[in-house]
Amino acid sequence: MPAKANVKPSRGSLEDKPFPILLCELYRGRSSGTVVLRRDETVKEIYFEKGHVKFATSNDPDERFGQILCRTGKLTIGQLEYALESAKKQEGRLGKVLVEAGFLKPPDLFQALREQIKEIVVGAFPWASGTFEVTKGNPRAGEAVKLSMDVGELIRQGMRRISDPMLLMRGIGSMDTVLTMRRDAMTAVKEFRPGSKEQRILQMAKGGVRLRDMCNTLPYPAVETCQLVYGLLVFGVLEKKETL
C-alpha cells in the first residue's frame, strides 16, 4: 500500500461515484482528509487518517449519539434528557456528562462512539443521489478521541444496507457481468478477510463466472449475492471481465 498522502481536493455527484467506491479509493490511497456528504438537508462529515475512518459527524437525528445509546438500550430517555440538560448548562460534552453521572462506564462510551461512527458511515451506502466533497485537513485531528474503523467491515456492513437492486446494478453492471479474481487480489483478500459466503463467491470466480449463473447456483437470495459481489468488487478482490 502507498504511504500516507494528503487527499486531493475533489467534489462530485454520488450518482457518478457512489460512496462505497469513494471510501475504498481513500483507503487504498492511504489518504488523510475530510469527506463531506450532502443529500437534501442531511450532512455527514467523515474524517480520515492514512485511509482509515477516525471520526464522523451527522446532522441526521437518528444518528445522534444519544439516540443511538437509547436505541441500543444503553441509556433511557430520562437519562438522556438529564445528560443533555447538564451538558448544556456546563457547556461540556455529552459523553463526559454521561460518565460523570454514572450512566455509562468509559469502555461503554468508547463502544458507543464506535457504533455511532459506524452508523453514520454505513448509513450513506444506500444514498443513490447526493454530493461529496473531499478536502485536505481534519478539523478534529487534535482531539483526544480517535477511533480506527475496519474499512473492510464497514464495506461489508454497508453493503447490507443496499436493498435497491438498481443501485446494486449501478455498481456491478448487469446480471450478465462476468466476474473474476483480480491477479493482484491477495493483499486485498488479507485485508478484507472474506467470510464463508464470500469465499464461495471467490471460489466460483477463479475461472470467471457470470453474475446470473452465480445467483442461480448459490443458495443465497440474489440480492444478498449481489451485495457480497459489490463489496468484493469495491474492495479490489474481484474485477469485471469482458467475456468468459
Side-chain angles (χ1 to χ4, degrees):
M1 286 289 182
K4 175 182 177 182
N6 284 324
V7 69
K8 293 181 180 179
S10 64
R11 62 180 62 189
S13 166
L14 292 174
E15 294 183 27
D16 298 327
K17 180 177 288 187
F19 175 64
I21 293 175
L22 176 62
L23 176 65
C24 277
E25 283 183 359
L26 293 168
Y27 173 70
R28 285 196 294 266
R30 291 296 189 261
S31 303
S32 297
T34 302
V35 176
V36 181
L37 305 176
R38 291 184 175 88
R39 186 183 65 171
D40 299 327
E41 301 300 318
T42 303
V43 180
K44 299 173 183 260
E45 295 188 359
I46 303 170
Y47 311 106
F48 289 81
E49 285 186 13
K50 299 181 181 178
H52 290 277
V53 175
K54 293 293 184 177
F55 205 81
T57 62
S58 170
N59 67 352
D60 185 336
D62 291 335
E63 294 174 342
R64 289 175 180 165
F65 184 58
Q67 291 296 326
I68 290 176
L69 285 170
C70 289
R71 195 160 61 240
T72 56
K74 296 284 176 46
L75 209 63
T76 67
I77 295 294
Q79 289 172 329
L80 175 59
E81 290 176 346
Y82 170 84
L84 287 170
E85 186 63 27
S86 297
K88 184 177 180 180
K89 289 179 180 178
Q90 300 173 23
E91 296 184 353
R93 292 187 177 276
L94 177 61
K96 181 180 178 182
V97 172
L98 290 170
V99 172
E100 290 177 346
F103 296 152
L104 282 182
K105 295 180 180 179
D108 294 329
L109 176 65
F110 184 81
Q111 183 57 39
L113 283 170
R114 292 184 64 86
E115 184 67 21
Q116 182 193 26
I117 294 170
K118 184 196 76 175
E119 284 298 314
I120 291 172
V121 175
V122 302
F125 275 61
W127 284 19
S129 62
T131 63
F132 69 86
E133 182 177 4
V134 182
T135 63
K136 292 181 179 180
N138 182 341
R140 292 178 175 266
E143 294 189 8
V145 177
K146 286 185 184 180
L147 305 175
S148 187
M149 310 296 289
D150 184 332
V151 174
E153 187 58 27
L154 289 174
I155 293 291
R156 188 174 287 109
Q157 293 196 28
M159 289 302 170
R160 294 173 190 157
R161 302 290 181 95
I162 305 178
S163 58
D164 182 353
M166 297 301 294
L167 189 55
L168 289 168
M169 287 303 102
R170 185 190 295 178
I172 299 174
S174 74
M175 293 299 290
D176 290 319
T177 296
V178 177
L179 304 162
T180 186
M181 286 275 289
R182 290 179 61 97
R183 291 183 180 180
D184 58 349
M186 292 313 299
T187 298
V189 168
K190 289 179 182 178
E191 293 180 346
F192 192 71
R193 299 189 300 278
S196 58
K197 292 182 178 180
E198 290 152 334
Q199 288 173 4
R200 289 191 69 175
I201 288 174
L202 297 181
Q203 189 67 31
M204 290 187 68
K206 283 185 177 179
V209 61
R210 292 188 190 280
L211 177 62
R212 185 185 309 279
D213 296 333
M214 184 178 286
C215 289
N216 289 335
T217 302
L218 293 173
Y220 322 133
V223 168
E224 182 180 5
T225 298
C226 290
Q227 290 168 339
L228 295 167
V229 166
Y230 191 10
L232 291 165
L233 281 169
V234 164
F235 206 80
V237 180
L238 291 179
E239 65 181 355
K240 303 174 191 179
K241 191 177 178 182
E242 291 296 326
T243 58
L244 284 172

